[in-house]
Amino acid sequence: MASADQKPQQKAGIDGAGARMRLRVPSVAERVAEELRYQLAEGFLVPGAKLTEATIAEDLGVSRNTVREAFAELATERLLVRHPNRGVYVATLEAGDIHDVYTVRRAIEVSSIRAGGSPERIAAVRAAVEEGKRAAAANDNEGLGSANQHFHGAIVALAESGRLNTIMAQVLAEMRLYFHKATMNAHFYSDWLKENEQICSALESGDLERAGDLLLAYLNRSEQQQTTIHGQ
Amino acid sequence: MASADQKPQQKAGIDGAGARMRLRVPSVAERVAEELRYQLAEGFLVPGAKLTEATIAEDLGVSRNTVREAFAELATERLLVRHPNRGVYVATLEAGDIHDVYTVRRAIEVSSIRAGGSPERIAAVRAAVEEGKRAAAANDNEGLGSANQHFHGAIVALAESGRLNTIMAQVLAEMRLYFHKATMNAHFYSDWLKENEQICSALESGDLERAGDLLLAYLNRSEQQQTTIHGQ
DNA sequence: ATCGCTGGATTGTTGAACAATCCGGTAATT
DNA sequence: AATTACCGGATTGTTCAACAATCCAGCGAT
């Protein structure tokens, strides 16, 4: 945790060792941000759409100022863009942005997998692979997509770095803005199902070099696919 | 300067081709954030210090709500931490955070340098090296520190990725929180002055593999130094 | 020393207000 | 007809004042 000179909180009776009673009720602004994030990921709000403060404030039954705070948060996450004095809009990814996003992913994913990770973290990667297989067997496209995101999230989690994790989470959130419907034809997934398996087993066998190379190759190909689909 | 892709705005007669008249007056909240960032980097606000909304609002002559917006921004940059219902404090880096920060730096800096860059970007790296030499000759410790930051910023800039640049800018801003006073003994710098030179010439000669290795070694050593100084 | 209470201070959130800015359309100009 | 100037409505940027919720320190009672 960031700083926190938390004084050793006395654990009375019931509370297990080190287990902190995290009952934190998220603030209203945070919940508004969360709701918007949800609607963005779900495709309710399409890229380019305009969000007017007053409308959303009324819709969610909160103050305009609070909406403003939420907007600020989502803007720094690049999910929304602010046009000063003109309003906030749902972010749209141009061709350049796709390359940009993949540049970030190459940097942090490859670096994370090359450094290996604890058995538990590796097990988490394996779990994501299996999750993907199950989704494929069930013909669950939705589930396939999120399984893939879990897979790549688990790879970054190998590094045990809170900062890398939040960066990755933001990047994935950005990508969810596009992946929505459209662009969702199945023979995409058929590829990386096998590929994730390969990467994972390379990781499990300790061949980090190979795992990194495979992952890098995948990311390069994925970027190319995305650009041919989206940008021109 | 967070990132700043300031284009050299030449105001020819009326309006050059495609040159957008970027006169953008930053919003009040942005200026408050900027002012706080400045005070943080300058060491005016020490890690752990508490910032009360009302006080700062009055000091800067702005509304409490505006201060709030600025706080939110700086909190997502990890320069401030919010303790719900208790206030915001200047972030403090624990031992774990140092490792975390260096994990991010290893990921993005090494990845960036390994991919090479355009001659102009490489020239920028060289410029940072020379800036460091000049500062050393002038015995300017302050200048030495910022030259080093410019050097590493220039390395990330090789990748031409806006997202990586902002991430790096934030990480560097975080580190500035510590580097202040203390930890500033000169024989630190004597090392990396030579080392930056080596890295840079390896980069210039196209030996990206070697450049990456040198950079990685530097980062590892730097992390170790920081932990021995700071953490216990 | 521990517990519980209470008052004061700060944060979280709201609602209303107003200035600044932008947008579209209409009128005036060339 | 095309361009310019202007005007009104709408939205954002910012402030202000209020209030509920929460936390903190102190104090007294057990």
Side-chain angles (χ1 to χ4, degrees), chain A residues 87-98:
Chain A
V88 307
Y89 298 79
V90 179
T92 74
L93 255 55
E94 332 266 315
D97 289 302
I98 294 180

Side-chain angles (χ1 to χ4, degrees), chain A residues 51-53 64-65 68 82 85 87:
Chain A
L51 304 187
T52 45
E53 299 179 351
R64 195 158 74 89
N65 269 323
R68 216 139 208 295
R82 273 191 124 110
N85 288 318

